[in-house]
Amino acid sequence: MNESHEPLLDRKTAAKYLSVSPGTLAVWDCTKRYDLKPIKVGRAVRYRRSDLDKFIEQRLWR
């Protein structure tokens, strides 16, 4: 899917998708622990599902 037309997830939805709390996701963004490539839209933070999928893929045990 073209990234420019990909729907953006809010922090609560992104956290649920990753099975973490929204607070954990906020800490990860603030401390830059993981590069989830958050997008700031005004004061809101949004995430591309494709970036979250890449994050999950990189952490799978093989």
Side-chain angles (χ1 to χ4, degrees):
M1 178 179 266
N2 186 346
E3 283 189 4
S4 63
H5 294 100
E6 183 177 355
L8 300 176
L9 305 176
D10 62 16
R11 180 169 280 152
K12 183 177 178 181
T13 305
K16 186 173 183 178
Y17 187 72
L18 294 175
S19 299
V20 298
S21 73
T24 296
L25 204 52
V27 169
W28 288 354
D29 289 345
C30 183
T31 62
K32 304 200 184 319
R33 180 172 181 167
Y34 300 112
D35 185 18
L36 297 174
K37 298 178 178 42
I39 300 166
K40 291 281 284 184
V41 181
R43 293 176 62 187
V45 179
R46 301 288 185 254
Y47 302 86
R48 287 188 183 97
R49 181 166 285 174
S50 61
D51 290 332
L52 301 179
D53 289 337
K54 288 176 193 172
F55 171 78
I56 293 168
E57 185 67 28
Q58 292 170 349
R59 280 150 186 79
L60 290 177
W61 287 86
R62 304 208 185 244

Short mmCIF file of all heavy atoms in Angstrom, two decimals:
data_model
loop_
_atom_site.label_atom_id
_atom_site.label_comp_id
_atom_site.label_asym_id
_atom_site.label_seq_id
_atom_site.Cartn_x
_atom_site.Cartn_y
_atom_site.Cartn_z
N MET A 1 0.84 -1.18 0.00
CA MET A 1 0.00 0.00 0.00
C MET A 1 0.88 1.23 0.00
O MET A 1 1.91 1.27 0.65
CB MET A 1 -0.91 -0.01 1.23
CG MET A 1 -1.80 1.20 1.33
SD MET A 1 -2.89 1.14 2.77
CE MET A 1 -4.30 0.42 2.00
N ASN A 2 0.49 2.24 -0.71
CA ASN A 2 1.22 3.49 -0.76
C ASN A 2 1.18 4.14 0.62
O ASN A 2 0.13 4.37 1.18
CB ASN A 2 0.59 4.39 -1.81
CG ASN A 2 1.38 5.66 -2.03
OD1 ASN A 2 2.25 6.00 -1.25
ND2 ASN A 2 1.07 6.34 -3.10
N GLU A 3 2.36 4.45 1.17
CA GLU A 3 2.43 5.00 2.52
C GLU A 3 1.66 6.30 2.67
O GLU A 3 1.12 6.59 3.73
CB GLU A 3 3.89 5.20 2.95
CG GLU A 3 4.58 3.93 3.34
CD GLU A 3 5.93 4.18 3.95
OE1 GLU A 3 6.32 5.34 4.14
OE2 GLU A 3 6.62 3.20 4.25
N SER A 4 1.59 7.10 1.62
CA SER A 4 0.90 8.38 1.75
C SER A 4 -0.61 8.21 1.89
O SER A 4 -1.29 9.12 2.34
CB SER A 4 1.22 9.27 0.55
OG SER A 4 0.74 8.68 -0.64
N HIS A 5 -1.14 7.05 1.52
CA HIS A 5 -2.58 6.80 1.63
C HIS A 5 -2.91 5.77 2.71
O HIS A 5 -4.05 5.37 2.85
CB HIS A 5 -3.14 6.33 0.28
CG HIS A 5 -3.05 7.40 -0.76
ND1 HIS A 5 -2.05 7.43 -1.70
CD2 HIS A 5 -3.83 8.48 -0.99
CE1 HIS A 5 -2.22 8.47 -2.48
NE2 HIS A 5 -3.29 9.14 -2.07
N GLU A 6 -1.91 5.36 3.46
CA GLU A 6 -2.12 4.38 4.52
C GLU A 6 -2.79 5.06 5.71
O GLU A 6 -2.36 6.13 6.14
CB GLU A 6 -0.76 3.80 4.94
CG GLU A 6 -0.85 2.73 5.97
CD GLU A 6 0.51 2.15 6.30
OE1 GLU A 6 1.51 2.52 5.67
OE2 GLU A 6 0.56 1.31 7.21
N PRO A 7 -3.87 4.46 6.25
CA PRO A 7 -4.50 5.07 7.42
C PRO A 7 -3.54 5.10 8.61
O PRO A 7 -2.74 4.18 8.79
CB PRO A 7 -5.70 4.17 7.71
CG PRO A 7 -5.63 3.03 6.77
CD PRO A 7 -4.50 3.24 5.83
N LEU A 8 -3.63 6.15 9.39
CA LEU A 8 -2.77 6.30 10.56
C LEU A 8 -3.52 5.85 11.81
O LEU A 8 -4.71 6.11 11.95
CB LEU A 8 -2.33 7.75 10.71
CG LEU A 8 -1.53 8.33 9.54
CD1 LEU A 8 -1.26 9.81 9.78
CD2 LEU A 8 -0.24 7.57 9.33
N LEU A 9 -2.79 5.19 12.70
CA LEU A 9 -3.37 4.70 13.95
C LEU A 9 -3.03 5.67 15.08
O LEU A 9 -1.90 6.16 15.16
CB LEU A 9 -2.81 3.32 14.30
CG LEU A 9 -2.94 2.23 13.25
CD1 LEU A 9 -2.25 0.97 13.73
CD2 LEU A 9 -4.39 1.96 12.93
N ASP A 10 -3.99 5.92 15.95
CA ASP A 10 -3.69 6.74 17.12
C ASP A 10 -2.90 5.90 18.12
O ASP A 10 -2.73 4.70 17.95
CB ASP A 10 -4.96 7.33 17.74
CG ASP A 10 -5.93 6.28 18.26
OD1 ASP A 10 -5.55 5.11 18.43
OD2 ASP A 10 -7.09 6.63 18.51
N ARG A 11 -2.41 6.54 19.17
CA ARG A 11 -1.55 5.84 20.13
C ARG A 11 -2.27 4.68 20.81
O ARG A 11 -1.71 3.60 20.99
CB ARG A 11 -1.00 6.81 21.17
CG ARG A 11 -0.09 6.11 22.18
CD ARG A 11 0.65 7.07 23.05
NE ARG A 11 1.80 7.56 22.31
CZ ARG A 11 2.34 8.75 22.50
NH1 ARG A 11 1.87 9.56 23.41
NH2 ARG A 11 3.39 9.12 21.80
N LYS A 12 -3.52 4.87 21.17
CA LYS A 12 -4.28 3.83 21.85
C LYS A 12 -4.45 2.60 20.95
O LYS A 12 -4.24 1.46 21.38
CB LYS A 12 -5.64 4.36 22.27
CG LYS A 12 -6.47 3.40 23.06
CD LYS A 12 -7.77 4.05 23.50
CE LYS A 12 -8.64 3.06 24.26
NZ LYS A 12 -9.91 3.66 24.67
N THR A 13 -4.79 2.83 19.70
CA THR A 13 -4.97 1.73 18.75
C THR A 13 -3.64 1.04 18.44
O THR A 13 -3.57 -0.19 18.37
CB THR A 13 -5.62 2.26 17.45
OG1 THR A 13 -6.83 2.94 17.78
CG2 THR A 13 -5.91 1.14 16.49
N ALA A 14 -2.59 1.84 18.27
CA ALA A 14 -1.27 1.27 18.00
C ALA A 14 -0.78 0.43 19.18
O ALA A 14 -0.22 -0.65 18.99
CB ALA A 14 -0.27 2.39 17.70
N ALA A 15 -1.03 0.91 20.39
CA ALA A 15 -0.62 0.17 21.59
C ALA A 15 -1.37 -1.16 21.66
O ALA A 15 -0.78 -2.20 21.97
CB ALA A 15 -0.88 1.00 22.83
N LYS A 16 -2.66 -1.13 21.38
CA LYS A 16 -3.44 -2.37 21.39
C LYS A 16 -2.92 -3.33 20.33
O LYS A 16 -2.80 -4.53 20.57
CB LYS A 16 -4.92 -2.04 21.14
CG LYS A 16 -5.82 -3.21 21.28
CD LYS A 16 -7.28 -2.80 21.20
CE LYS A 16 -8.18 -4.00 21.41
NZ LYS A 16 -9.59 -3.63 21.39
N TYR A 17 -2.57 -2.83 19.17
CA TYR A 17 -2.03 -3.65 18.08
C TYR A 17 -0.73 -4.34 18.50
O TYR A 17 -0.48 -5.48 18.13
CB TYR A 17 -1.80 -2.76 16.85
CG TYR A 17 -1.41 -3.48 15.60
CD1 TYR A 17 -2.32 -4.26 14.90
CD2 TYR A 17 -0.12 -3.39 15.09
CE1 TYR A 17 -1.98 -4.92 13.74
CE2 TYR A 17 0.24 -4.04 13.93
CZ TYR A 17 -0.69 -4.81 13.26
OH TYR A 17 -0.33 -5.46 12.10
N LEU A 18 0.09 -3.63 19.29
CA LEU A 18 1.37 -4.19 19.76
C LEU A 18 1.25 -4.93 21.09
O LEU A 18 2.24 -5.45 21.59
CB LEU A 18 2.40 -3.06 19.91
CG LEU A 18 2.82 -2.35 18.63
CD1 LEU A 18 3.75 -1.19 18.97
CD2 LEU A 18 3.50 -3.31 17.67
N SER A 19 0.06 -4.92 21.68
CA SER A 19 -0.19 -5.56 22.98
C SER A 19 0.64 -4.94 24.10
O SER A 19 1.21 -5.63 24.95
CB SER A 19 0.08 -7.07 22.91
OG SER A 19 -0.79 -7.67 21.98
N VAL A 20 0.72 -3.62 24.07
CA VAL A 20 1.36 -2.87 25.17
C VAL A 20 0.40 -1.75 25.57
O VAL A 20 -0.59 -1.50 24.89
CB VAL A 20 2.74 -2.27 24.75
CG1 VAL A 20 3.71 -3.36 24.38
CG2 VAL A 20 2.58 -1.27 23.62
N SER A 21 0.69 -1.09 26.66
CA SER A 21 -0.18 0.01 27.09
C SER A 21 0.18 1.28 26.31
O SER A 21 1.32 1.44 25.85
CB SER A 21 -0.02 0.26 28.59
OG SER A 21 1.20 0.90 28.84
N PRO A 22 -0.77 2.20 26.18
CA PRO A 22 -0.46 3.48 25.53
C PRO A 22 0.67 4.22 26.26
O PRO A 22 1.49 4.89 25.62
CB PRO A 22 -1.77 4.26 25.61
CG PRO A 22 -2.83 3.21 25.67
CD PRO A 22 -2.21 2.08 26.46
N GLY A 23 0.74 4.07 27.58
CA GLY A 23 1.82 4.70 28.34
C GLY A 23 3.19 4.15 27.97
O GLY A 23 4.16 4.89 27.87
N THR A 24 3.26 2.85 27.76
CA THR A 24 4.52 2.22 27.35
C THR A 24 4.94 2.76 25.99
O THR A 24 6.11 3.11 25.78
CB THR A 24 4.36 0.69 27.28
OG1 THR A 24 4.10 0.20 28.60
CG2 THR A 24 5.62 0.03 26.73
N LEU A 25 3.99 2.86 25.10
CA LEU A 25 4.28 3.39 23.77
C LEU A 25 4.77 4.84 23.86
O LEU A 25 5.72 5.22 23.17
CB LEU A 25 3.03 3.30 22.91
CG LEU A 25 3.20 3.25 21.41
CD1 LEU A 25 4.17 2.18 20.97
CD2 LEU A 25 1.85 3.05 20.74
N ALA A 26 4.18 5.62 24.73
CA ALA A 26 4.60 7.01 24.93
C ALA A 26 6.03 7.08 25.46
O ALA A 26 6.83 7.90 25.01
CB ALA A 26 3.64 7.72 25.88
N VAL A 27 6.36 6.20 26.41
CA VAL A 27 7.72 6.17 26.96
C VAL A 27 8.72 5.77 25.87
O VAL A 27 9.79 6.36 25.76
CB VAL A 27 7.80 5.21 28.18
CG1 VAL A 27 9.24 4.96 28.58
CG2 VAL A 27 7.01 5.78 29.34
N TRP A 28 8.38 4.77 25.08
CA TRP A 28 9.27 4.34 23.99
C TRP A 28 9.54 5.50 23.03
O TRP A 28 10.66 5.67 22.58
CB TRP A 28 8.67 3.17 23.22
CG TRP A 28 8.67 1.87 23.95
CD1 TRP A 28 9.23 1.58 25.16
CD2 TRP A 28 8.07 0.65 23.51
NE1 TRP A 28 9.02 0.28 25.49
CE2 TRP A 28 8.31 -0.32 24.50
CE3 TRP A 28 7.35 0.29 22.38
CZ2 TRP A 28 7.85 -1.62 24.38
CZ3 TRP A 28 6.90 -1.01 22.26
CH2 TRP A 28 7.15 -1.96 23.25
N ASP A 29 8.51 6.28 22.73
CA ASP A 29 8.68 7.42 21.83
C ASP A 29 9.55 8.49 22.48
O ASP A 29 10.46 9.03 21.85
CB ASP A 29 7.33 8.03 21.45
CG ASP A 29 6.53 7.14 20.52
OD1 ASP A 29 7.10 6.20 19.93
OD2 ASP A 29 5.32 7.39 20.38
N CYS A 30 9.28 8.79 23.73
CA CYS A 30 9.99 9.84 24.44
C CYS A 30 11.47 9.51 24.62
O CYS A 30 12.33 10.36 24.43
CB CYS A 30 9.33 10.08 25.80
SG CYS A 30 10.07 11.41 26.74
N THR A 31 11.76 8.27 24.97
CA THR A 31 13.14 7.85 25.22
C THR A 31 13.83 7.35 23.96
O THR A 31 15.02 7.06 23.99
CB THR A 31 13.18 6.72 26.27
OG1 THR A 31 12.47 5.59 25.77
CG2 THR A 31 12.60 7.18 27.59
N LYS A 32 13.07 7.24 22.87
CA LYS A 32 13.59 6.73 21.59
C LYS A 32 14.16 5.32 21.74
O LYS A 32 15.12 4.95 21.09
CB LYS A 32 14.59 7.69 20.98
CG LYS A 32 14.02 9.08 20.79
CD LYS A 32 14.78 9.88 19.81
CE LYS A 32 14.29 11.30 19.68
NZ LYS A 32 12.92 11.57 19.68
N ARG A 33 13.55 4.55 22.63
CA ARG A 33 13.99 3.18 22.85
C ARG A 33 13.84 2.36 21.58
O ARG A 33 14.70 1.57 21.23
CB ARG A 33 13.19 2.55 23.99
CG ARG A 33 13.60 1.13 24.25
CD ARG A 33 12.96 0.57 25.48
NE ARG A 33 13.42 -0.78 25.68
CZ ARG A 33 13.24 -1.46 26.77
NH1 ARG A 33 12.61 -0.91 27.79
NH2 ARG A 33 13.68 -2.68 26.88
N TYR A 34 12.71 2.53 20.91
CA TYR A 34 12.47 1.86 19.63
C TYR A 34 12.04 2.92 18.63
O TYR A 34 11.31 3.84 18.97
CB TYR A 34 11.35 0.81 19.75
CG TYR A 34 11.66 -0.28 20.74
CD1 TYR A 34 10.94 -0.38 21.92
CD2 TYR A 34 12.67 -1.19 20.51
CE1 TYR A 34 11.21 -1.39 22.83
CE2 TYR A 34 12.96 -2.19 21.42
CZ TYR A 34 12.23 -2.29 22.58
OH TYR A 34 12.50 -3.27 23.49
N ASP A 35 12.49 2.78 17.40
CA ASP A 35 12.14 3.74 16.36
C ASP A 35 10.87 3.28 15.66
O ASP A 35 10.92 2.57 14.67
CB ASP A 35 13.28 3.90 15.36
CG ASP A 35 13.00 4.99 14.35
OD1 ASP A 35 12.12 5.83 14.61
OD2 ASP A 35 13.66 4.99 13.30
N LEU A 36 9.73 3.69 16.19
CA LEU A 36 8.44 3.33 15.60
C LEU A 36 7.98 4.37 14.59
O LEU A 36 6.88 4.26 14.06
CB LEU A 36 7.39 3.16 16.71
CG LEU A 36 7.69 2.03 17.69
CD1 LEU A 36 6.68 2.05 18.83
CD2 LEU A 36 7.67 0.70 16.98
N LYS A 37 8.81 5.36 14.36
CA LYS A 37 8.52 6.42 13.40
C LYS A 37 7.18 7.11 13.65
O LYS A 37 6.33 7.17 12.77
CB LYS A 37 8.60 5.88 11.97
CG LYS A 37 9.97 5.36 11.61
CD LYS A 37 9.98 4.79 10.21
CE LYS A 37 11.33 4.29 9.76
NZ LYS A 37 12.11 3.56 10.67
N PRO A 38 6.98 7.62 14.86
CA PRO A 38 5.72 8.31 15.15
C PRO A 38 5.59 9.56 14.29
O PRO A 38 6.57 10.21 13.95
CB PRO A 38 5.81 8.66 16.63
CG PRO A 38 7.27 8.67 16.92
CD PRO A 38 7.90 7.68 16.00
N ILE A 39 4.37 9.89 13.94
CA ILE A 39 4.07 11.07 13.13
C ILE A 39 3.26 12.03 13.99
O ILE A 39 2.24 11.64 14.56
CB ILE A 39 3.25 10.66 11.89
CG1 ILE A 39 4.05 9.67 11.05
CG2 ILE A 39 2.84 11.88 11.08
CD1 ILE A 39 3.22 8.96 10.01
N LYS A 40 3.75 13.25 14.11
CA LYS A 40 3.03 14.26 14.88
C LYS A 40 2.06 14.98 13.95
O LYS A 40 2.45 15.47 12.91
CB LYS A 40 4.00 15.27 15.48
CG LYS A 40 4.90 14.72 16.57
CD LYS A 40 4.19 14.62 17.88
CE LYS A 40 4.06 15.97 18.52
NZ LYS A 40 3.48 15.99 19.82
N VAL A 41 0.80 15.00 14.35
CA VAL A 41 -0.23 15.75 13.65
C VAL A 41 -0.79 16.73 14.68
O VAL A 41 -1.64 16.36 15.49
CB VAL A 41 -1.33 14.82 13.10
CG1 VAL A 41 -2.38 15.61 12.35
CG2 VAL A 41 -0.74 13.72 12.23
N GLY A 42 -0.28 17.94 14.65
CA GLY A 42 -0.60 18.88 15.72
C GLY A 42 -0.04 18.34 17.02
O GLY A 42 1.14 18.02 17.11
N ARG A 43 -0.90 18.15 18.01
CA ARG A 43 -0.47 17.57 19.29
C ARG A 43 -0.65 16.07 19.32
O ARG A 43 -0.17 15.40 20.23
CB ARG A 43 -1.26 18.20 20.42
CG ARG A 43 -0.93 19.67 20.61
CD ARG A 43 -1.79 20.31 21.66
NE ARG A 43 -1.57 19.70 22.96
CZ ARG A 43 -2.27 19.96 24.04
NH1 ARG A 43 -3.26 20.83 23.98
NH2 ARG A 43 -2.01 19.37 25.17
N ALA A 44 -1.34 15.53 18.33
CA ALA A 44 -1.62 14.09 18.28
C ALA A 44 -0.44 13.33 17.69
O ALA A 44 0.30 13.85 16.86
CB ALA A 44 -2.86 13.84 17.44
N VAL A 45 -0.28 12.10 18.15
CA VAL A 45 0.76 11.21 17.64
C VAL A 45 0.06 10.08 16.90
O VAL A 45 -0.90 9.49 17.39
CB VAL A 45 1.62 10.64 18.79
CG1 VAL A 45 2.67 9.69 18.26
CG2 VAL A 45 2.27 11.76 19.58
N ARG A 46 0.56 9.78 15.71
CA ARG A 46 -0.02 8.72 14.88
C ARG A 46 1.08 7.79 14.41
O ARG A 46 2.26 8.15 14.37
CB ARG A 46 -0.74 9.31 13.66
CG ARG A 46 -1.87 10.27 14.00
CD ARG A 46 -3.06 9.50 14.56
NE ARG A 46 -4.20 10.36 14.79
CZ ARG A 46 -4.61 10.75 15.97
NH1 ARG A 46 -3.96 10.38 17.05
NH2 ARG A 46 -5.68 11.51 16.09
N TYR A 47 0.68 6.56 14.03
CA TYR A 47 1.62 5.54 13.58
C TYR A 47 1.08 4.88 12.32
O TYR A 47 -0.12 4.67 12.20
CB TYR A 47 1.79 4.45 14.65
CG TYR A 47 2.25 4.97 15.98
CD1 TYR A 47 1.34 5.45 16.91
CD2 TYR A 47 3.60 5.00 16.30
CE1 TYR A 47 1.76 5.94 18.14
CE2 TYR A 47 4.03 5.49 17.53
CZ TYR A 47 3.11 5.95 18.44
OH TYR A 47 3.53 6.44 19.65
N ARG A 48 1.99 4.52 11.42
CA ARG A 48 1.60 3.72 10.26
C ARG A 48 1.62 2.25 10.67
O ARG A 48 2.54 1.80 11.34
CB ARG A 48 2.59 3.92 9.12
CG ARG A 48 2.50 5.25 8.44
CD ARG A 48 3.40 5.27 7.20
NE ARG A 48 3.35 6.57 6.59
CZ ARG A 48 4.24 7.54 6.79
NH1 ARG A 48 5.29 7.32 7.57
NH2 ARG A 48 4.10 8.70 6.21
N ARG A 49 0.61 1.52 10.26
CA ARG A 49 0.57 0.10 10.57
C ARG A 49 1.78 -0.63 9.98
O ARG A 49 2.33 -1.54 10.60
CB ARG A 49 -0.73 -0.53 10.06
CG ARG A 49 -0.78 -2.02 10.43
CD ARG A 49 -2.13 -2.60 10.25
NE ARG A 49 -2.94 -2.14 11.35
CZ ARG A 49 -4.24 -2.37 11.46
NH1 ARG A 49 -4.88 -3.03 10.54
NH2 ARG A 49 -4.91 -1.93 12.50
N SER A 50 2.22 -0.21 8.80
CA SER A 50 3.38 -0.86 8.17
C SER A 50 4.63 -0.70 9.04
O SER A 50 5.45 -1.62 9.13
CB SER A 50 3.62 -0.30 6.77
OG SER A 50 3.88 1.09 6.82
N ASP A 51 4.80 0.44 9.71
CA ASP A 51 5.94 0.63 10.61
C ASP A 51 5.82 -0.27 11.83
O ASP A 51 6.82 -0.83 12.31
CB ASP A 51 6.05 2.09 11.06
CG ASP A 51 6.47 3.01 9.92
OD1 ASP A 51 7.16 2.54 9.00
OD2 ASP A 51 6.10 4.20 9.97
N LEU A 52 4.61 -0.45 12.34
CA LEU A 52 4.40 -1.35 13.48
C LEU A 52 4.65 -2.80 13.07
O LEU A 52 5.24 -3.56 13.83
CB LEU A 52 2.97 -1.18 14.02
CG LEU A 52 2.60 0.22 14.51
CD1 LEU A 52 1.16 0.23 15.00
CD2 LEU A 52 3.55 0.71 15.58
N ASP A 53 4.23 -3.16 11.86
CA ASP A 53 4.49 -4.52 11.36
C ASP A 53 5.99 -4.78 11.22
O ASP A 53 6.46 -5.86 11.56
CB ASP A 53 3.80 -4.74 10.01
CG ASP A 53 2.29 -4.84 10.14
OD1 ASP A 53 1.80 -5.18 11.25
OD2 ASP A 53 1.59 -4.60 9.13
N LYS A 54 6.75 -3.79 10.75
CA LYS A 54 8.20 -3.94 10.64
C LYS A 54 8.81 -4.13 12.03
O LYS A 54 9.72 -4.95 12.21
CB LYS A 54 8.82 -2.71 9.98
CG LYS A 54 8.53 -2.61 8.51
CD LYS A 54 9.09 -1.32 7.94
CE LYS A 54 8.54 -1.06 6.56
NZ LYS A 54 8.91 0.27 6.05
N PHE A 55 8.33 -3.37 13.00
CA PHE A 55 8.80 -3.48 14.38
C PHE A 55 8.58 -4.91 14.90
O PHE A 55 9.48 -5.52 15.48
CB PHE A 55 8.06 -2.47 15.26
CG PHE A 55 8.30 -2.62 16.73
CD1 PHE A 55 9.46 -2.17 17.31
CD2 PHE A 55 7.34 -3.22 17.55
CE1 PHE A 55 9.68 -2.30 18.68
CE2 PHE A 55 7.55 -3.35 18.90
CZ PHE A 55 8.73 -2.90 19.47
N ILE A 56 7.39 -5.45 14.68
CA ILE A 56 7.07 -6.81 15.11
C ILE A 56 7.96 -7.81 14.40
O ILE A 56 8.52 -8.72 15.02
CB ILE A 56 5.58 -7.12 14.87
CG1 ILE A 56 4.70 -6.27 15.79
CG2 ILE A 56 5.29 -8.60 15.08
CD1 ILE A 56 3.22 -6.28 15.42
N GLU A 57 8.09 -7.67 13.10
CA GLU A 57 8.89 -8.60 12.28
C GLU A 57 10.33 -8.66 12.75
O GLU A 57 10.95 -9.72 12.80
CB GLU A 57 8.81 -8.18 10.81
CG GLU A 57 9.51 -9.12 9.86
CD GLU A 57 8.86 -10.48 9.75
OE1 GLU A 57 7.63 -10.60 9.94
OE2 GLU A 57 9.58 -11.46 9.47
N GLN A 58 10.89 -7.52 13.13
CA GLN A 58 12.30 -7.46 13.58
C GLN A 58 12.51 -8.17 14.92
O GLN A 58 13.62 -8.53 15.26
CB GLN A 58 12.75 -6.01 13.71
CG GLN A 58 12.85 -5.29 12.41
CD GLN A 58 13.07 -3.80 12.59
OE1 GLN A 58 12.96 -3.25 13.69
NE2 GLN A 58 13.38 -3.12 11.50
N ARG A 59 11.44 -8.37 15.67
CA ARG A 59 11.56 -8.95 17.00
C ARG A 59 11.09 -10.39 17.09
O ARG A 59 11.01 -10.96 18.17
CB ARG A 59 10.82 -8.08 18.01
CG ARG A 59 11.70 -6.91 18.36
CD ARG A 59 10.96 -5.68 18.72
NE ARG A 59 11.88 -4.58 18.91
CZ ARG A 59 12.44 -3.89 17.92
NH1 ARG A 59 12.15 -4.17 16.67
NH2 ARG A 59 13.29 -2.91 18.17
N LEU A 60 10.77 -10.99 15.97
CA LEU A 60 10.33 -12.40 15.98
C LEU A 60 11.53 -13.31 16.20
O LEU A 60 12.61 -13.09 15.63
CB LEU A 60 9.66 -12.76 14.64
CG LEU A 60 8.30 -12.13 14.37
CD1 LEU A 60 7.84 -12.53 12.98
CD2 LEU A 60 7.29 -12.56 15.40
N TRP A 61 11.31 -14.33 16.99
CA TRP A 61 12.35 -15.35 17.20
C TRP A 61 12.35 -16.26 16.00
O TRP A 61 11.31 -16.70 15.53
CB TRP A 61 12.07 -16.16 18.45
CG TRP A 61 12.33 -15.40 19.69
CD1 TRP A 61 11.47 -14.56 20.33
CD2 TRP A 61 13.54 -15.35 20.43
NE1 TRP A 61 12.07 -14.00 21.43
CE2 TRP A 61 13.34 -14.48 21.52
CE3 TRP A 61 14.77 -15.97 20.29
CZ2 TRP A 61 14.34 -14.22 22.44
CZ3 TRP A 61 15.75 -15.70 21.22
CH2 TRP A 61 15.54 -14.84 22.28
N ARG A 62 13.49 -16.58 15.51
CA ARG A 62 13.60 -17.46 14.32
C ARG A 62 14.36 -18.69 14.67
O ARG A 62 15.18 -18.79 15.44
CB ARG A 62 14.27 -16.74 13.20
CG ARG A 62 13.50 -15.46 12.90
CD ARG A 62 13.66 -15.06 11.49
NE ARG A 62 13.01 -13.78 11.35
CZ ARG A 62 11.95 -13.59 10.60
NH1 ARG A 62 11.43 -14.53 9.91
NH2 ARG A 62 11.41 -12.40 10.52
#
